[in-house]
């Protein structure tokens, strides 16, 4: 990775900008497990033969991986106006990489259900163009109240999909598992997340004695999500692990 950064000020306006370059290389290795009807027919065989047949399922050591390059620009504006008021606006590109376990070229078969859980060593991260605008009012003590809007445009989005293993020697599994159901993470289409954030936090330093150690906080976020996954599942208004409404509140003491 390499990056460059610069900042400047024009009166009450501060500008921070930068550019980052990254090259990432990933690889994963493990034995390829191939389910074989003969090997799985244990019956009442001696332990030695059962062990040999089990080992025969793990017939090939396989290494796979991928390489990708990314450029991440960013520019951030902060403008102070009035008494204790500040406005912010920013644009940047971020990256979300898949977890390492998803990059292993492994296969976990379930012979009874005829299903496969498979890794995807060629799985690439998704990137997001992020836009944020917010306004904050800072209190004389310690604290602030703020409101903001944001938009995230995601490309190369990945998620888990279920499909059917095709027939033929070139089906990716040496001709095995034809007709089985496979679950695997794949890169698909694009997604969009946009929303509103409200935030409040304050330390009650204006109170006397013991009471000045108290503080409180509260926040609320509203989200709208959208995904375009093409021929696989089409359009969706619900992305995994995201909820339209979320809020937090609490009392603190320092």
């Amino acid at each position: 990775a390499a990056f460059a950064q610069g900042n400047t000020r024009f009166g009450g306006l501060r500008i921070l900008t930068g550019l980052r370059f990254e090259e990432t290389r990933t690889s994963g290795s493990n034995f390829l497990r191939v389910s074989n009807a003969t090997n799985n027919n244990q019956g009442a065989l001696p332990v030695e033969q059962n062990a040999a047949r089990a080992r025969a399922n793990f017939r090939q050591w396989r290494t796979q991986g991928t390489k990708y390059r990314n450029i991440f620009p960013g520019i951030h504006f902060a403008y102070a106006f009035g008494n204790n008021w500040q406005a912010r606006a920013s644009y940047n590109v971020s990256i979300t990489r898949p977890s390492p376990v998803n990059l292993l070229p492994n296969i976990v078969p379930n012979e009874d259900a005829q299903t496969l859980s498979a890794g995807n060593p060629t799985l690439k991260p998704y990137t997001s163009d992020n836009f944020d605008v917010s306004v904050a009012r800072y209190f004389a003590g310690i604290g602030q109240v703020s409101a903001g809007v944001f938009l995230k445009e995601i490309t190369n989005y990945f998620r888990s999909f279920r499909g059917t293993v095709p027939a033929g020697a070139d089906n990716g599994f040496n001709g095995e598992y034809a007709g089985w159901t496979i679950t695997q993470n794949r890169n698909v289409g694009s997604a969009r997340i946009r929303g509103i954030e409200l935030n409040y936090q304050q330390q009650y330093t204006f109170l006397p004695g013991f009471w000045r150690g108290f503080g409180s906080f509260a926040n609320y976020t509203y989200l709208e999500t959208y995904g375009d996954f093409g021929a696989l599942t089409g359009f969706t208004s619900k992305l995994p692990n995201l909820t339209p409404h979320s809020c937090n509140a609490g009392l603190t003491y320092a």
Side-chain angles (χ1 to χ4, degrees), residues 144 198-202 216-220 247-250:
Q144 64 168 298
L198 304 175
N199 177 61
Y200 163 81
Q201 56 183 349
Q202 186 171 14
S216 63
F217 66 90
N219 57 69
Y220 168 75
C247 59
N248 294 277

Side-chain angles (χ1 to χ4, degrees), residues 157 159 190-192 225-230 233-240:
Y157 189 75
R159 56 167 292 181
S190 60
R192 176 190 302 140
T225 61
Y226 170 83
D228 180 3
F229 305 141
T233 60
F235 303 97
T236 180
S237 60
K238 296 181 180 180
L239 297 181

Side-chain angles (χ1 to χ4, degrees), residues 157-169:
Y157 189 75
F158 60 79
R159 56 167 292 181
S160 177
F161 281 98
R162 292 169 62 90
T164 301
V165 178

